[in-house]
Amino acid sequence: MFLCIRISKKGEVMQSLFIIHSYNGNTKNSFGPYLVKECSSLGLNVIFPDFPTGKNANYNEWSKILDQYLSNGTLNSDSIIIAHSLGAHFIPKYIAERKAKIKLYISCAGFINKTHKENTFDKAMDDFLPTKLQIENAVLLMKYRYAIYSNNDPISSLKELEYYADKFNAQKVFIPNVGHLGPKSGIAKLPEALEIIKKHIIKSCK
């Protein structure tokens, strides 16, 4: 992983976009590479970290990776974060614990309730799941909030997905029949997220 603060030709620190993958996610098979390409061309400093996945997914280890960007100023109040599935648990908890302000938060297939199955995913959720107070604090630290979700998500019901959006007082973006918004649902692009991001790019990045 390469850490840096990118500077524009005008000598300004570039606005950063962070893409946070899911429990079994990676930086290759998702809508992430599409956003890396499109948003880099818009002048954003796009950061798509590889976090430990599966049974190795751990809140503290994920936090250590983002801490590096927070400490060097890359993650700041102008930053944009888009988080998928388990990433949508991680980011609110992390933001609340670090008291880190960001400009825009986009959750993709974000849900709060556990799947109620004895599996490693639910064990990870025990570690990542934000408390009610952490959610409330995170909302205050996120200037703009959007929730992207679908009706045929195999992980969560539509009611649970909308409950997540309501808890964050997020603007709802419903996309029919795209499942959990991952590779198993055949999602390699997410133009809806790109359009949201475009609305919140600071002028110096354009």
Side-chain angles (χ1 to χ4, degrees):
M1 181 175 57
F2 183 66
L3 290 173
C4 68
I5 300 177
R6 292 183 62 186
I7 306 297
S8 71
K9 293 180 180 179
K10 297 179 181 179
E12 301 164 327
V13 176
M14 296 175 66
Q15 185 180 19
S16 295
L17 164 66
F18 290 82
I19 303 171
I20 311 298
H21 64 61
S22 61
Y23 174 74
N24 281 318
N26 57 57
T27 57
K28 297 178 181 179
N29 301 314
S30 69
F31 56 76
Y34 161 79
L35 290 179
V36 170
K37 179 181 178 181
E38 295 297 326
C39 293
S40 294
S41 70
L42 295 173
L44 289 171
N45 177 24
V46 184
I47 299 162
F48 193 4
D50 261 317
F51 295 102
T53 57
K55 64 182 181 180
N56 295 315
N58 177 283
Y59 175 77
N60 287 332
E61 293 303 313
W62 283 36
S63 296
K64 288 177 183 177
I65 292 173
L66 275 199
D67 280 345
Q68 298 173 77
Y69 296 102
L70 185 62
S71 63
N72 74 9
T74 306
L75 176 55
N76 57 51
S77 60
D78 286 327
S79 295
I80 297 168
I81 300 180
I82 180 166
H84 179 221
S85 191
L86 187 67
H89 297 300
F90 168 63
I91 286 301
K93 183 173 181 177
Y94 179 85
I95 290 296
E97 286 192 349
R98 300 301 191 271
K99 297 180 174 61
K101 291 183 179 181
I102 61 171
K103 183 174 185 181
L104 171 64
Y105 172 59
I106 305 171
S107 68
C108 296
F111 61 99
I112 294 175
N113 296 326
K114 294 171 64 175
T115 60
H116 305 296
K117 296 177 182 178
E118 290 297 325
N119 54 33
T120 55
F121 181 67
D122 261 5
K123 290 179 181 178
M125 282 192 63
D126 285 334
D127 193 28
F128 283 80
L129 198 64
T131 65
K132 179 181 178 181
L133 181 59
Q134 286 172 332
I135 291 173
E136 292 172 356
N137 289 337
V139 168
L140 298 175
L141 293 163
M142 301 165 169
K143 189 172 183 179
Y144 302 102
R145 299 166 303 282
Y146 291 77
I148 301 176
Y149 58 95
S150 189
N151 57 306
N152 61 335
D153 190 320
I155 303 295
S156 300
S157 67
L158 182 60
K159 182 179 179 180
E160 289 174 329
L161 294 163
E162 292 184 333
Y163 178 73
Y164 181 97
D166 290 338
K167 281 293 182 181
F168 286 88
N169 193 24
Q171 184 169 328
K172 297 174 182 177
V173 181
F174 174 77
I175 309 174
N177 304 316
V178 291
H180 197 56
L181 294 167
K184 289 184 179 180
S185 303
I187 304 302
K189 297 182 179 181
L190 199 55
E192 292 84 357
L194 180 60
E195 290 307 308
I196 295 169
I197 291 167
K198 286 179 178 179
K199 295 177 183 178
H200 298 280
I201 297 176
I202 57 177
K203 291 182 180 181
S204 60
C205 289
K206 294 181 178 179

